Amino acid sequence: MGNLLGAPVTDKETHSGTTPASTEDGIDLPYGVSSMQGWRIHMEDAHICQPFLFAEEYVGGGSGGGGSSEMKDAAESASAANTTSKSPFLTTPPQWKRIPISGHSLYAVFDGHGGTFAAEYAGLNLCRVLSRQAKFVEYAKHCAAMQQMQAKEEGADASASASGGEGATADNDDKDAAAATYKSHRAGLDLLESALRDAFVALDKEIMMQMKGVDVVDANCPYGDDFDDHHSHGEIRGNRSASSDKSGSGGGSGDGEKDNDKDDDDDDDAEKRMGF
């Protein structure tokens, strides 16, 4: 379980707010989260309270001045994988177009399990990584199309009510519309499931690259406005695996203090790699 403090740190970090009102139902939802370090040497957990979401579609950039096919391929690879190291071919950053997704929020807690790095990195970067997945971009466009279709259906229903349409015909139309809506919702859920799966795989790749000292494009870049209010953002420290925490529990003395000093040195080295 790793080293423990002689007394718990009971200071709390609390975030709260309200989601933007959905364009579909006009409802806004309150949310809140509170975290405490407790007995751990460092705060090992992280969280996300992201009250709004948007996808980011690649629209250009990420190439050098020459515009060669090699540079273009490097930029497209960066967009597709979202896990690229800094390359001499990427002399200009990729450009992204935001696609808002109404009525969507993301809330997550990341448990460090004996180390801080993976949890903190996930808390700072999951939204960015998810937003740039091809399936999530497709999902955002799917949601926009669904909203347009719903608006048209509501307009058609209003016209039918005003004209006093036939009852049997109206019932059949309602059944067809319900079936089409269900099919569309199912397709959207499939896209979202695929996007989340791809995002977690991409995030794992980024964490592995960072731990190897390889820079990742746009790592720790803010996602949206008021980023600091929605994400835990303590210092990102080096990953201290359970195998490196062998000094036992308690306040820390003798060999335990030496192990703690080594952990802090490892953390400082990781912070330097991260650019902090």
Side-chain angles (χ1 to χ4, degrees), residues 165-271:
E166 295 292 334
T169 302
D171 288 341
N172 290 333
D173 289 343
D174 289 342
K175 292 179 180 179
D176 292 342
T181 299
Y182 172 81
K183 184 177 180 180
S184 184
H185 279 305
R186 183 66 261 176
L189 288 174
D190 289 342
L191 286 172
L192 185 57
E193 180 181 353
S194 296
L196 286 167
R197 182 185 64 243
D198 294 343
F200 281 119
V201 172
L203 188 64
D204 282 347
K205 290 180 180 178
E206 286 198 8
I207 291 173
M208 180 178 66
M209 292 172 67
Q210 290 280 273
M211 293 306 296
K212 290 182 177 180
V214 180
D215 291 333
V216 175
V217 172
D218 290 344
N220 306 320
C221 286
Y223 177 86
D225 301 325
D226 301 324
F227 179 80
D228 289 344
D229 294 334
H230 305 145
H231 301 245
S232 62
H233 51 283
E235 290 183 312
I236 294 185
R237 296 179 176 271
N239 182 27
R240 298 183 300 112
S241 64
S243 61
S244 67
D245 292 332
K246 296 181 180 178
S247 58
S249 59
S253 62
D255 293 339
E257 290 183 357
K258 293 179 181 178
D259 287 344
N260 290 343
D261 292 340
K262 181 179 184 301
D263 289 339
D264 289 337
D265 290 341
D266 292 342
D267 292 343
D268 292 341
D269 289 341
E271 287 173 11

Side-chain angles (χ1 to χ4, degrees), residues 62-143:
S63 63
S68 69
S69 59
E70 189 175 19
M71 295 173 182
K72 181 179 179 181
D73 291 342
E76 290 176 349
S77 297
S79 172
N82 195 37
T83 52
T84 181
S85 60
K86 291 179 180 178
S87 164
F89 299 117
L90 298 178
T91 58
T92 60
Q95 302 298 313
W96 308 90
K97 179 182 72 175
R98 290 186 182 181
I99 307 175
I101 309 177
S102 176
H104 285 63
S105 305
L106 191 152
Y107 303 91
V109 174
F110 303 97
D111 193 337
H113 283 288
T116 62
F117 181 82
E120 281 289 353
Y121 192 87
L124 290 168
N125 292 281
L126 176 60
C127 288
R128 168 185 58 82
V129 173
L130 174 62
S131 71
R132 296 177 181 179
Q133 298 304 310
K135 292 293 185 181
F136 197 69
V137 172
E138 189 176 349
Y139 175 73
K141 294 178 178 180
H142 175 84
C143 290

